[in-house]
Amino acid sequence: MADNAQRIRLLVGRSKKLIPLFLGLASVVMSLFSYWYFPDALKDVGNILFDEYQRQKPREYLETPVKVIDIDDESLEVLGQWPWPRTDFADMSMKLGQIGAAAVVYDVVFSEPDRTSPGNIAGMLLQNGLSFDAFDAITALPDHDEYLGQSFAQADTNIVTGYFLTQFLEEGKEQELPPVRYGFVEIGASAKDVMPTYETSTRTLPVIDEGAQGSGFVSVASIDGGVIRKAPLLARIDEQIFPSLSLEALRVAIGAGTIQIKSSSGSGEFGSGSEGPAFVSLVRIVSDIGDFQIPTTETGEFLVHYSEERPERRVPAWKVIKAGTGTPGAYSMQELQELLGGHIILIGPSAPGLLDLRSTPMNGSYPGVLIHAQMVEQMLNKQFLSNPYWGQTLVGVIIMVGGTILAFMLSFLGAVRGGLITVISLVALFWFSWWQYTENQILFDPTFAAAALVFISMVTIISSFYLTESEKAEIRGAFDHYLSPDMVDQIADDPSLLQLGGVEKDITILFCDVRSFSKISEKLSPQELITFLNNFLTPMTEILMDSKSTIDKYIGDAIMSFWNAPLDDPDHARNACRGSLLMIDTLREMNKLYYDDPENAPLPVETNIGIGLNSGPCSVGNMGSTQRFAYSVLGDAVNLSSRLEGLTKQYKLHIIIGSATAEGAPDFARVEVDQLRVVGRQAPETIYTLVGDEKEAQTATYKQWHELQMAYLNAYRSQQWDEAERIAAEARPLAATWFVDGYYDVMQTRIDEYRQNPPGEDWDGVYQATSK
């Protein structure tokens, strides 16, 4: 029986050790299930990642025969408010034809009659007393819309007009189809079903549009959170397919007659045949000039790869309209020829008041016409982004294979090594995604795979950690949750405080640490070490609590506490300074007892401490989980306070306080010692050493030292090393009054290094800390 019981216990023990592995493998299955049914769950996160890729490494800008005639604020100032007379556009079209533009593309929809046409103006004047003879004379003048249409027909260039597509047909209105000046050839099964579908359009007036050689829709709207990351190249109304403005611009410019659409069944990609719907895979335009094959998404959208904005891409509209007129600042026809001859020219607005600004990964307010221009540039230069189907398959493989390997490895390696392996895996995953983007222009989204690996790792690590730590739970439980009496009273009065959450308050934080604690530990037995810590922490804790501080935690020989929570303390910075000074004084008395009577002294060795104080906004409250939490503080001010405590050893000072604490206790005896950037922070911090209270600040010795110290810092920051050494020699005996004269040894070492390696004329006097 005993042997059977022993075997059962061994079997149960081994089974428990396999629980993390089983849970890890279960999380792999859950992740695969989630990806199978919700593959786009983290699509927004992936989009944000790809946006950052574009910002970090935009598309390389190549000199391309594509220019934008910009209807900008400058042009509105010169030519007057919008809309301009259509005669301006007619004259501009004729001039662009004269200089040999490859195509003139209007990202402007002339859907309403020109209000400045002679007939419209004559009608208004007739109502205000215009004679009928004058009315007849004015109406006999050419209509502006007809004039623009004639210029389109007569211009020695190709004109492309734009139109809007509308998803809903208003009741009572007839469907209006845009003109069709091209042919579409579908290679493979028809992919019309996956294309964006619209009901009607708002087109350029027929009297204008009849003379154009092409037309395309100007809509570039995207459902990706309002950010234009991709734009449709194709759309349909009923069974008719229509091209985008950028696609039509390319077709007309190269003289092609048809646009080929290759579907998944025609290209041989995954998803072909009769097993499912066909998807768009490629749009192709071929002419004698070249063969342009444009990859798309499954629905026929174009992935826009933005370049940095280049001023040479734009030309102010007024300089073109006024070209050849002798207007100061406008182009001559020769200059216009050199600038725009042979180019695809897009005309559209960038002025904010004309409401054609869109959000892109590169710019939160970017003109729509420039989006079209960048798309045409990509097509001509064949600089395409792609999002191939194999990327989705690879994510599933990573979750299944990588997740399984992680589950096996993490089950037996422990939390620290397991966490390291997870981090390495994530770094490799994101590096692969970045490499695909930079080297192959492929968008591989690692976010779902990364989230799955983190989930698998966390499940495995946490379950493994729980099993390891469960044996120590009873021991740790006996020493948890030491609360201040004030906190206990508040919880007794208001049990709702036992909830997660916190508030933001201005807090002063203290970190205190015993110097050379490792050496002290070597000299003492475990029991003696516990006695030492109790004898040290007890009076220090009493001082802190008497000065209205809340003890946050004990970290071995270190103490963390804070002021102004949970009870308000308007004088928290001063109380923190006062408590810190009393801790130093009390420790000196305890050390004195050690030297007078070592056998009966509370501390068995001479003990020194360093204290860091800092003030600032923090989140304070009960933090943790619903099962276990602690009243604590979080924030940048806490991190800086910890750094300041670490600096006391480097600077050979007892107390270092941050600038915010110094401002909160302006009448205390504290002197500036340096400006530095601590590890983990970019902003420089002015640090002070605290040596006394308000009374100490009024002594002649302190005032004299304070004056010398400021002069010393001025000489030091001005790189006047000899002058700094002279002042230090005079200030050192005064600093010894508070046992902080070792600070000048530290600074002298730094000066010696700067003599060997000068910091440079542009040095701002800020020292970069290299360790915590």
Side-chain angles (χ1 to χ4, degrees):
M1 292 292 293
D3 291 341
N4 290 335
Q6 180 67 18
R7 281 195 291 271
I8 291 173
R9 283 194 293 269
L10 289 173
L11 182 60
V12 171
R14 291 171 182 171
S15 299
K16 288 178 65 176
K17 290 183 181 296
L18 293 177
I19 289 177
L21 175 60
F22 293 149
L23 291 176
L25 294 176
S27 63
V28 172
V29 175
M30 290 177 61
S31 298
L32 284 171
F33 177 86
S34 299
Y35 185 63
W36 180 265
Y37 286 99
F38 309 104
D40 294 330
L42 297 178
K43 179 182 177 182
D44 290 343
V45 181
N47 284 336
I48 293 172
L49 178 68
F50 293 150
D51 291 350
E52 187 60 31
Y53 284 179
Q54 294 222 38
R55 286 189 287 269
Q56 294 299 322
K57 191 176 178 59
R59 173 174 61 87
E60 180 185 3
Y61 176 76
L62 303 176
E63 282 294 334
T64 308
V66 178
K67 286 284 193 275
V68 171
I69 294 181
D70 191 4
I71 304 172
D72 56 4
D73 285 327
E74 179 185 354
S75 298
L76 293 176
E77 285 185 19
V78 175
L79 300 177
Q81 71 177 19
W82 184 263
W84 296 332
R86 302 275 161 82
T87 52
D88 287 345
F89 294 102
D91 294 342
M92 179 165 57
S93 298
M94 295 299 292
K95 290 175 182 178
L96 294 174
Q98 292 174 27
I99 65 169
V104 177
V105 184
Y106 279 91
D107 186 19
V108 178
V109 179
F110 302 109
S111 59
E112 297 180 355
D114 187 353
R115 58 187 175 85
T116 66
S117 285
N120 294 333
I121 293 176
M124 290 185 290
L125 294 176
L126 187 62
Q127 296 175 6
N128 290 280
L130 182 71
S131 68
F132 286 103
D133 291 339
F135 174 81
D136 292 339
I138 294 175
T139 54
L141 296 172
D143 180 79
H144 288 183
D145 294 326
E146 293 178 0
Y147 184 68
L148 180 58
Q150 292 170 4
S151 73
F152 283 0
Q154 297 169 7
D156 193 15
T157 185
N158 298 305
I159 303 293
V160 179
T161 58
Y163 51 85
F164 298 111
L165 293 178
T166 307
Q167 289 185 324
F168 302 101
L169 181 62
E170 294 183 18
E171 187 175 351
K173 288 192 175 182
E174 293 185 2
Q175 185 183 58
E176 186 175 14
L177 295 178
V180 178
R181 298 184 172 93
Y182 39 78
F184 275 108
V185 176
E186 294 189 79
I187 301 175
S190 177
K192 290 179 182 178
D193 290 342
V194 300
M195 297 178 189
T197 304
Y198 297 86
E199 291 292 329
T200 186
S201 70
T202 301
R203 56 168 295 189
T204 294
L205 294 171
V207 69
I208 299 173
D209 210 21
E210 288 173 355
Q213 288 72 49
S215 58
F217 60 84
V218 300
S219 309
V220 293
S222 172
I223 61 173
D224 291 337
V227 179
I228 306 299
R229 302 181 178 95
K230 54 189 177 183
L233 292 183
L234 306 167
R236 71 182 178 98
I237 298 177
D238 296 333
E239 294 302 310
Q240 178 62 51
I241 302 174
F242 298 93
S244 70
L245 189 69
S246 54
L247 186 64
E248 182 71 345
L250 177 64
R251 182 194 70 80
V252 171
I254 67 173
T258 60
I259 299 173
Q260 299 178 22
I261 303 173
K262 296 184 71 175
S263 67
S264 54
S265 61
S267 63
E269 292 186 359
F270 178 88
S272 62
S274 59
E275 296 181 0
F279 300 106
V280 181
S281 64
L282 190 74
V283 174
R284 184 183 183 191
I285 302 177
V286 182
S287 74
D288 294 338
I289 294 178
D291 183 354
F292 296 89
Q293 300 188 38
I294 306 162
T296 69
T297 66
E298 295 177 343
T299 58
E301 291 178 306
F302 182 84
L303 296 173
V304 188
H305 193 185
Y306 293 93
S307 72
E308 292 181 327
E309 182 51 31
R310 302 294 289 261
E312 58 265 36
R313 189 182 270 136
R314 308 194 205 187
V315 177
W318 77 269
K319 293 187 177 184
V320 180
I321 293 174
K322 295 291 186 179
T325 64
T327 302
Y331 298 118
S332 67
M333 292 303 293
Q334 179 63 33
E335 290 173 330
L336 199 63
Q337 165 73 37
E338 295 173 355
L339 183 65
L340 301 179
H343 283 61
I344 299 175
I345 299 169
L346 293 96
I347 302 171
S350 71
L354 301 187
L355 305 178
D356 191 30
L357 298 179
R358 312 299 176 90
S359 178
T360 72
M362 300 286 290
N363 195 313
S365 183
Y366 196 65
V369 65
L370 285 173
I371 297 176
H372 288 298
Q374 294 227 32
M375 292 171 66
V376 177
E377 288 176 1
Q378 285 183 249
M379 295 176 194
L380 289 174
N381 295 323
K382 302 182 180 180
Q383 297 172 300
F384 300 118
L385 287 175
S386 64
N387 191 358
Y389 185 82
W390 62 256
Q392 301 175 41
T393 305
L394 182 58
V395 170
V397 172
I398 290 172
I399 294 174
M400 181 172 63
V401 178
T404 301
I405 293 173
L406 272 181
F408 272 95
M409 296 180 68
L410 300 181
S411 299
F412 306 103
L413 291 180
V416 175
R417 286 180 292 179
L420 181 61
I421 290 174
T422 303
V423 170
I424 293 173
S425 301
L426 294 177
V427 170
L429 183 61
F430 280 94
W431 173 86
F432 176 75
S433 173
W434 172 253
W435 178 78
Q436 286 291 343
Y437 168 76
T438 56
E439 298 299 322
N440 301 317
Q441 290 71 57
I442 290 175
L443 297 180
F444 170 70
D445 186 355
T447 53
F448 203 108
L453 294 183
V454 170
F455 172 66
I456 295 165
S457 300
M458 292 298 294
V459 169
T460 309
I461 291 174
I462 291 174
S463 58
S464 179
F465 182 78
Y466 174 78
L467 287 177
T468 303
E469 293 297 312
S470 60
E471 298 175 357
K472 307 174 185 177
E474 292 184 6
I475 298 174
R476 287 200 308 267
F479 299 95
D480 269 350
H481 295 305
Y482 287 100
L483 301 177
S484 68
D486 289 334
M487 186 60 197
V488 174
D489 292 340
Q490 284 204 353
I491 292 173
D493 294 337
D494 185 5
S496 66
L497 288 174
L498 292 172
Q499 303 293 329
L500 296 179
V503 296
E504 184 171 307
K505 297 185 69 174
D506 194 49
I507 301 292
T508 297
I509 309 100
L510 171 143
F511 278 84
C512 171
D513 188 54
V514 175
R515 292 282 168 261
S516 303
F517 183 70
S518 297
K519 294 182 179 179
I520 294 175
S521 302
E522 292 175 358
K523 299 177 182 179
L524 304 176
S525 67
Q527 188 58 46
E528 289 173 335
L529 186 61
I530 293 175
T531 302
F532 164 78
L533 285 175
N534 289 339
N535 289 345
F536 165 73
L537 293 174
T538 299
M540 298 297 113
T541 301
E542 291 176 354
I543 292 170
L544 290 170
M545 298 182 71
D546 288 344
S547 65
K548 303 182 180 180
S549 177
T550 296
I551 306 299
D552 187 296
K553 60 178 67 73
Y554 301 109
I555 313 167
D557 60 305
I559 305 173
M560 176 184 170
S561 70
F562 53 89
W563 284 259
N564 201 31
L567 301 180
D568 291 337
D569 180 9
D571 213 19
H572 55 90
R574 292 163 56 85
N575 285 333
C577 291
R578 206 180 309 280
S580 299
L581 291 168
L582 187 55
M583 290 172 70
I584 297 296
D585 292 340
T586 300
L587 187 59
R588 287 187 183 134
E589 291 297 324
M590 295 172 74
N591 283 330
K592 185 178 179 182
L593 291 174
Y594 165 74
Y595 286 110
D596 292 343
D597 187 4
E599 295 296 327
N600 298 310
L603 300 181
V605 293
E606 181 185 8
T607 305
N608 293 294
I609 60 175
I611 296 175
L613 286 178
N614 188 48
S615 304
C618 298
S619 178
V620 57
N622 292 311
M623 302 178 188
S625 66
T626 54
Q627 295 86 5
R628 179 174 177 175
F629 53 83
Y631 190 78
S632 186
V633 291
L634 291 173
D636 183 63
V638 179
N639 300 331
L640 181 55
S641 177
S642 175
R643 300 290 189 272
L644 297 182
E645 181 276 316
L647 291 172
T648 58
K649 185 174 183 180
Q650 298 180 35
Y651 282 86
K652 297 185 178 180
L653 300 171
H654 304 301
I655 304 173
I656 290 181
I657 65 176
S659 56
T661 305
E663 292 174 5
D667 52 347
F668 274 57
R670 79 285 191 283
V671 297
E672 181 181 344
V673 294
D674 206 356
Q675 286 184 335
L676 79 163
R677 293 184 181 88
V678 300
V679 174
R681 296 178 95 242
Q682 291 298 318
E685 178 72 12
T686 301
I687 60 173
Y688 302 76
T689 185
L690 178 69
V691 296
D693 57 12
E694 307 95 320
K695 293 181 181 179
E696 193 75 18
Q698 299 303 316
T699 62
T701 302
Y702 168 76
K703 291 180 178 179
Q704 183 181 1
W705 180 42
H706 185 274
E707 182 178 354
L708 286 171
Q709 176 64 11
M710 295 309 296
Y712 172 77
L713 290 176
N714 287 334
Y716 164 77
R717 290 165 183 162
S718 301
Q719 302 185 47
Q720 300 175 20
W721 311 129
D722 293 338
E723 177 65 8
E725 289 174 338
R726 184 193 67 77
I727 298 173
E730 187 176 355
R732 185 187 295 269
L734 300 173
T737 305
W738 299 280
F739 309 98
V740 293
D741 49 317
Y743 158 77
Y744 291 102
D745 295 331
V746 176
M747 298 302 288
Q748 182 60 50
T749 300
R750 193 186 299 174
I751 287 175
D752 292 341
E753 292 176 356
Y754 282 155
R755 277 201 171 103
Q756 295 295 324
N757 301 290
E761 295 180 0
D762 58 343
W763 182 51
D764 57 1
V766 177
Y767 178 69
Q768 176 64 56
T770 57
S771 63
K772 297 181 181 181

